Amino acid sequence: MTLTILYFAWVRERIGEAEETVTLPSHVVTVADLVAWLSARGGGYSEAMAAPERLRAAIDQNFVGLDAAIGGAREVAIFPPVTGG
Amino acid sequence: MTLTILYFAWVRERIGEAEETVTLPSHVVTVADLVAWLSARGGGYSEAMAAPERLRAAIDQNFVGLDAAIGGAREVAIFPPVTGG
Amino acid sequence: MIRILVSVAPIDLAGEMARVERQDVGAVASFCGLVRADDGVDQLELEHYPGATEAALDRIAHEAVERWSLQAATIVHRVGPMRPGERIVLVAAAAPHRRDALDACAYLIDRLKTDAPFWKRETRGDEARWVEARESDTNAAERWTQ
Amino acid sequence: MIRILVSVAPIDLAGEMARVERQDVGAVASFCGLVRADDGVDQLELEHYPGATEAALDRIAHEAVERWSLQAATIVHRVGPMRPGERIVLVAAAAPHRRDALDACAYLIDRLKTDAPFWKRETRGDEARWVEARESDTNAAERWTQ
């Protein structure tokens, strides 16, 4: 399964890119699984994903909890809590 | 004692003037006394003062209840409830 | 930091907001009341009590400044005749943080409705009538004293 | 009647207010957030999630329209780099009556703070840092769900 992952703010900065396309292994079911899988790459990834409780996510542009199943989504975004306005 | 009385909105319209200067008789102590005394003039005055509960007043530009004593005031205003904004 | 203006001139919204924003503010909340065009009114006329009106508005603005952490409080009220769609009143509050600005803005307009000597007269065709005070305005003002 | 704009251009306050006032409204409440000049920030940069941001703002505006009797709801948010004193966001709500306009305006900005994907980065001299989310914003948004 092919998935586009978007990163924003300090997640993007630590990883060093804004977007990538990945093929998910079958054991990656939820956003939390995805975070753990990305973190295992080490380097900027593990730095960005070091504190999952500080991360927020959206699946196909809808905000979700990290326990949400990715299912057949096309796009997952991972980012810090929002600070607009 | 000489007092300037100001009228606003429909009080002014019914009386037919915006301002007058009067010499108060000694039995006129409160604003309510003043209203009764003016009303006794008849015509537009009694029309304007027909329902004292619909009247509001200010003594020297401060809002007061009709039971307030006029004392040595220079200016009393009589008007309907305010409707600004 | 407090600005009070009662004038027959149309209200210059952009100019007033620029004055308020000129300071080191983080948040500006404002409220504008307009002559509604949808209820058949051809003209609205605002009468006021010169001197007492400005004093009342100044008192309301000072109360807001004492109650919230504000950098500016503005009350501009038009008087005289005006047409549907025109601005009757503008209040604005500027603060470092938004809750102060929002609450103070609501306070300014709620208080103005009951505590400042203005009277509205509406004209519809040949018929003119003085607008009646509304109990809901008294209730709105009183919620700030609880 | 709903207007959503996310843009790198400076926010045209007068133009946006004129759009809102163009209708038969009696009351317009608005809120503007600005880059504060008083805490040493040289530049503020706003990042957003294109597409998702506009959708979130549109959802917030629609919720306001469902909840209050409104004639217009506007959310304009700037993105990219901006300087102290510049406007970051403008929300406005127009209604026949002031309570609806005031409450909807507060709702729009409270919700925007927690529900729309924007991120602020402040630069002070050589040092840049991402602004931390504030618990007070979450509390402000949650009071609307009680």
Side-chain angles (χ1 to χ4, degrees):
Chain A
M1 184 187 119
T2 292
L3 180 75
T4 298
I5 316 180
L6 305 178
Y7 307 112
F8 292 102
W10 52 254
V11 177
R12 172 182 56 70
E13 279 190 338
R14 288 175 193 176
I15 287 172
E17 52 189 330
E19 183 175 339
E20 64 181 302
T21 301
V22 299
T23 302
L24 288 190
S26 60
H27 72 269
V28 172
V29 175
T30 66
V31 177
D33 295 340
L34 176 62
V35 166
W37 182 66
L38 290 166
S39 184
R41 291 175 173 179
Y45 284 95
S46 71
E47 211 186 308
M49 309 289 169
E53 73 281 4
R54 297 187 59 208
L55 297 175
R56 301 291 180 269
I59 293 179
D60 288 338
Q61 306 204 344
N62 294 304
F63 284 82
V64 294
L66 294 195
D67 57 347
I70 295 169
R74 294 167 51 192
E75 181 178 299
V76 170
I78 302 173
F79 45 80
V82 302
T83 56
Chain B
M1 187 183 118
T2 292
L3 180 75
T4 299
I5 316 180
L6 306 179
Y7 307 112
F8 292 103
W10 52 255
V11 177
R12 172 181 57 70
E13 280 190 337
R14 288 177 193 175
I15 288 173
E17 52 189 331
E19 183 176 339
E20 64 181 305
T21 302
V22 298
T23 302
L24 288 189
S26 62
H27 71 270
V28 172
V29 176
T30 67
V31 178
D33 295 339
L34 176 63
V35 166
W37 181 68
L38 291 167
S39 185
R41 292 176 174 180
Y45 284 95
S46 72
E47 212 186 306
M49 309 290 169
E53 72 280 5
R54 296 186 60 209
L55 296 175
R56 301 292 180 270
I59 294 181
D60 287 339
Q61 306 203 344
N62 294 305
F63 286 83
V64 295
L66 294 196
D67 58 346
I70 295 170
R74 295 168 49 189
E75 180 177 297
V76 169
I78 303 174
F79 45 80
V82 302
T83 57
Chain C
M1 110 197 247
I2 285 180
R3 175 167 160 79
I4 303 298
L5 179 64
V6 178
S7 166
V8 295
I11 295 176
D12 173 13
L13 177 64
E16 294 298 338
M17 296 304 277
R19 270 173 190 270
V20 168
E21 288 184 355
R22 203 182 302 157
Q23 323 195 20
D24 282 350
V25 307
V28 176
S30 73
F31 175 85
C32 232
L34 298 104
V35 184
R36 285 173 57 181
D38 62 352
D39 55 2
V41 170
D42 300 307
Q43 183 181 281
L44 187 72
E45 189 156 359
L46 259 289
E47 182 170 332
H48 77 301
Y49 182 172
T53 302
E54 290 82 350
L57 298 181
D58 195 59
R59 202 154 45 230
I60 293 166
H62 274 94
E63 282 163 10
V65 165
E66 272 165 40
R67 189 158 173 164
W68 290 281
S69 181
L70 301 185
Q71 291 158 308
T74 292
I75 307 178
V76 181
H77 205 296
R78 192 169 171 192
V79 291
M82 52 202 92
R83 297 277 168 197
E86 291 195 298
R87 297 180 193 112
I88 306 166
V89 62
L90 166 69
V91 302
H97 301 292
R98 78 179 182 287
R99 187 57 43 205
D100 287 327
L102 289 165
D103 287 348
C105 174
Y107 180 86
L108 292 173
I109 188 64
D110 281 350
R111 278 282 160 208
L112 184 153
K113 287 266 177 185
T114 59
D115 294 6
F118 292 103
W119 300 273
K120 283 195 184 103
R121 193 172 70 152
E122 297 174 341
T123 305
R124 289 179 177 79
D126 294 335
E127 198 194 342
R129 73 172 191 91
W130 292 95
V131 173
E132 293 279 334
R134 296 189 312 173
E135 197 186 350
S136 62
D137 286 335
T138 306
N139 296 340
E142 278 174 358
R143 77 192 174 96
W144 296 106
T145 61
Q146 280 154 14
Chain D
M1 112 197 244
I2 285 179
R3 173 166 162 80
I4 303 298
L5 178 64
V6 177
S7 166
V8 295
I11 295 176
D12 173 15
L13 177 64
E16 293 300 337
M17 296 304 276
R19 273 174 189 268
V20 168
E21 289 184 355
R22 203 181 303 157
Q23 323 195 19
D24 283 349
V25 307
V28 176
S30 74
F31 175 86
C32 232
L34 298 103
V35 184
R36 284 173 56 183
D38 61 350
D39 55 1
V41 170
D42 300 306
Q43 183 181 281
L44 186 73
E45 188 155 2
L46 258 290
E47 181 169 332
H48 77 300
Y49 181 173
T53 302
E54 290 83 349
L57 299 181
D58 195 60
R59 201 154 47 231
I60 292 166
H62 274 94
E63 282 163 10
V65 165
E66 273 166 40
R67 188 156 174 167
W68 290 279
S69 182
L70 301 184
Q71 291 158 309
T74 293
I75 307 178
V76 181
H77 205 296
R78 191 168 173 194
V79 291
M82 52 203 91
R83 296 278 169 195
E86 291 194 298
R87 299 181 193 110
I88 306 167
V89 63
L90 166 68
V91 303
H97 301 293
R98 79 178 181 287
R99 188 56 43 203
D100 287 326
L102 289 165
D103 287 349
C105 174
Y107 180 87
L108 292 173
I109 189 64
D110 281 350
R111 278 280 161 210
L112 184 152
K113 287 265 178 185
T114 58
D115 294 7
F118 291 103
W119 300 273
K120 283 196 184 100
R121 193 172 69 153
E122 297 173 341
T123 305
R124 287 179 177 80
D126 294 338
E127 198 195 342
R129 72 171 191 91
W130 292 94
V131 173
E132 293 280 333
R134 295 190 311 173
E135 198 186 348
S136 61
D137 286 335
T138 306
N139 296 341
E142 277 173 0
R143 80 193 173 95
W144 296 106
T145 61
Q146 279 154 13

